[in-house]
Amino acid sequence: MRCWPARFSPVVKFKRCTIILGSLVLLAGGAALQSMKQDWARAELAQVQPAKTGGYRTLAADYSWLQTNLAWETRDAAKVRRMIDLTVSADPRTAYFWLNGARMIAYDFPVWQDDFAGANAPLAVQASWRKMGADEALLLLERGQQWHGKSAALHLEMANICLYALGDRHRAAGYYRLAAEQSDAPDYAARIYARLHEEEVAGISR
């Protein structure tokens, strides 16, 4: 069955078919996303097995992550937070979403608050913003450990947040140790843990 009148040229025919097929794909994607929104409203998706809705969850996660990045560009922290949650709920098995979502919350959110406040915010307030961002990011990564608990990646990210965002070397050392114990751990995880542990022991002995 032809999808164009006989008078159209082959190029026009090809473009016309491409537009039609593209529209069908968008319609199908929209239907899938609507179905996912209904699922999110009915249940806590973090507790649902991803296989139940198959590729629809991957499509929904990709769409949500795109919206996350668009919100990030406009520094809309509330929307970024909401879209990160939808993304990891739709596809919890992809570590990329957990890691980069945590980085946005830990490092970008406090900077945005500083910029909005200008130079007027007291240092103690700025420090509290950094702590709030780091704590929220750590909670997100703790959720991710349900799916990636045996991977070094999330432990390393938590260690970095403790070290660089919170300045908590003791807590960071604990996460580096946990990362080093995983089968996929990079060599530097054990080295950083050893150095932080030695510094802590040396400080206690003084």
Side-chain angles (χ1 to χ4, degrees):
M1 181 176 180
R2 295 185 304 184
C3 59
W4 58 79
R7 66 179 180 276
F8 287 171
S9 69
V11 173
V12 173
K13 294 173 184 176
F14 175 78
K15 290 182 177 179
R16 188 178 179 86
C17 281
T18 300
I19 293 172
I20 292 172
L21 292 174
S23 299
L24 291 174
V25 170
L26 288 174
L27 288 172
L33 290 172
Q34 183 61 36
S35 174
M36 287 303 303
K37 288 179 181 179
Q38 293 172 357
D39 287 343
W40 291 330
R42 286 194 298 265
E44 176 61 37
L45 291 184
Q47 305 300 321
V48 179
Q49 292 297 327
K52 289 185 178 179
T53 47
Y56 287 170
R57 298 185 75 93
T58 300
L59 176 63
D62 289 343
Y63 175 80
S64 296
W65 189 247
L66 173 62
Q67 296 302 311
T68 302
N69 281 279
L70 292 175
W72 179 86
E73 291 178 358
T74 61
R75 298 191 171 195
D76 186 341
K79 187 173 182 180
V80 168
R81 181 183 290 109
R82 184 168 68 254
M83 299 314 299
I84 289 172
D85 187 63
L86 289 177
T87 302
V88 297
S89 294
D91 185 7
R93 297 187 184 278
T94 299
Y96 174 90
F97 296 140
W98 296 101
L99 296 172
N100 286 280
R103 289 165 188 163
M104 290 179 183
I105 294 171
Y107 302 115
D108 294 328
F109 281 17
V111 171
W112 296 349
Q113 289 177 300
D114 285 346
D115 290 346
F116 291 151
N120 299 322
L123 293 179
V125 173
Q126 295 179 34
S128 72
W129 288 338
R130 289 193 296 273
K131 185 178 186 305
M132 289 173 59
D135 288 343
E136 184 178 349
L138 289 170
L139 287 175
L140 176 68
L141 292 171
E142 286 177 5
R143 284 175 53 197
Q145 287 183 330
Q146 175 184 351
W147 306 94
H148 304 277
K150 295 183 179 179
S151 172
L154 267 66
H155 291 105
L156 285 171
E157 195 63 39
M158 296 172 84
N160 289 336
I161 289 173
C162 288
L163 185 60
Y164 300 113
L166 290 176
D168 189 336
R169 302 174 77 82
H170 173 74
R171 194 173 175 189
Y175 283 121
Y176 281 122
R177 178 181 59 78
L178 289 173
E181 292 172 354
Q182 308 309 314
S183 60
D184 62 342
D187 293 340
Y188 68 80
R191 290 199 299 270
I192 296 177
Y193 164 69
R195 187 182 72 215
L196 292 175
H197 181 66
E198 289 172 0
E199 290 177 356
E200 186 172 20
V201 170
I204 293 174
S205 63
R206 290 173 187 166

